[in-house]
């Protein structure tokens, strides 16, 4: 199956607000399949369309519990604030600490345009927030936390 090249930091497209998807057609389905394939090939846990040079509101996520496809996703509720380590296929060979909501409610559409909602917590919630940020031109490096020893110790306990 086809895979995409991943665009890296410095490319303008990563800073654009991605466009809403309006056509839920075979072209979108092929793109979703190839995005998932690309994510797995590069051992990522998520991939947003701007990362393959396409400025559309499309995300794939798999944190090890199955594939999620999110079209036009929006976070409608969030709670909690937790520190965690993140990386990004568009920021190769780096990692950094970021605070994210611990629990979120997401509203999105599936590949057929049908709306759905789901709750996400912890690492899955983190991945969703990271990928949805991509659709707004935001990278995790914009949000880097500089945790104290105390904060890092508390993180390990979770
Ligand atoms: Ni990323």
């Amino acid at each position: 199956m086809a895979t995409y090249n991943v665009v890296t930091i410095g490319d303008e497209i990563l800073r654009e607000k991605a466009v809403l998807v309006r056509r839920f057609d075979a072209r979108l389905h092929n793109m979703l399949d190839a995005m998932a394939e690309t994510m797995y090939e590069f051992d990522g846990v998520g991939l947003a369309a701007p990362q393959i040079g396409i400025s559309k509101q499309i995300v794939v996520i798999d944190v090890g519990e199955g594939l999620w496809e999110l079209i036009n996703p929006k976070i409608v509720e969030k709670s909690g604030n937790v520190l965690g380590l993140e990386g990004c296929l568009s920021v190769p060979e780096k990692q950094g600490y970021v605070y994210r909501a611990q629990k979120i409610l997401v509203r999105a559409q599936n590949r057929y345009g049908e709306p759905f909602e789901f709750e996400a917590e912890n690492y899955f919630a983190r991945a969703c927030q990271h990928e949805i940020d991509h659709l707004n031109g935001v990278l995790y490096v914009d949000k880097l936390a500089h945790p104290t020893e105390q904060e890092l110790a508390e993180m390990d306990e979770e």
Side-chain angles (χ1 to χ4, degrees):
M1 191 187 285
T3 56
Y4 292 106
N5 292 320
V6 176
V7 163
T8 53
I9 188 165
D11 193 305
E12 274 302 301
I13 200 157
L14 292 174
R15 296 309 192 172
E16 290 173 15
K17 177 148 176 64
V19 175
L20 280 172
V21 173
R22 297 182 191 283
R23 283 189 193 161
F24 298 83
D25 55 8
R27 201 169 159 213
L28 173 69
H29 298 171
N30 290 336
M31 194 180 146
L32 281 162
D33 294 342
M35 279 179 69
E37 197 69 16
T38 305
M39 170 178 74
Y40 293 129
E41 174 165 323
F42 290 101
D43 287 321
V45 296
L47 190 70
Q51 292 184 274
I52 53 160
I54 298 173
S55 192
K56 286 187 180 175
Q57 296 199 23
I58 305 168
V59 158
V60 292
I61 295 172
D62 188 344
V63 295
E65 296 164 1
L67 177 64
W68 287 73
E69 297 175 338
L70 310 181
I71 319 295
N72 303 329
K74 254 189 155 36
I75 296 167
V76 290
E77 278 175 39
K78 40 169 92 177
S79 61
N81 193 36
V82 285
L83 187 64
L85 199 54
E86 293 185 21
C88 179
L89 294 178
S90 294
V91 188
E93 285 158 36
K94 289 199 163 67
Q95 284 189 305
Y97 289 99
V98 182
Y99 278 101
R100 299 282 188 187
Q102 185 266 328
K103 189 174 176 181
I104 57 174
L105 178 66
V106 180
R107 196 169 289 158
Q109 284 165 279
N110 68 14
R111 59 164 60 202
Y112 305 105
E114 296 157 352
F116 67 104
E117 266 187 11
F118 64 98
E119 271 187 356
E121 287 187 86
N122 302 319
Y123 190 59
F124 181 40
R126 177 172 297 278
C128 291
Q129 290 169 85
H130 176 117
E131 297 310 326
I132 292 170
D133 269 357
H134 273 300
L135 304 181
N136 292 303
V138 176
L139 300 175
Y140 86 87
V141 293
D142 304 336
K143 298 186 160 179
L144 283 181
H146 300 282
T148 60
E149 295 284 325
Q150 176 69 31
E151 285 172 309
L152 287 173
E154 284 166 5
M155 193 184 84
D156 291 339
E157 287 163 15
E158 280 166 16

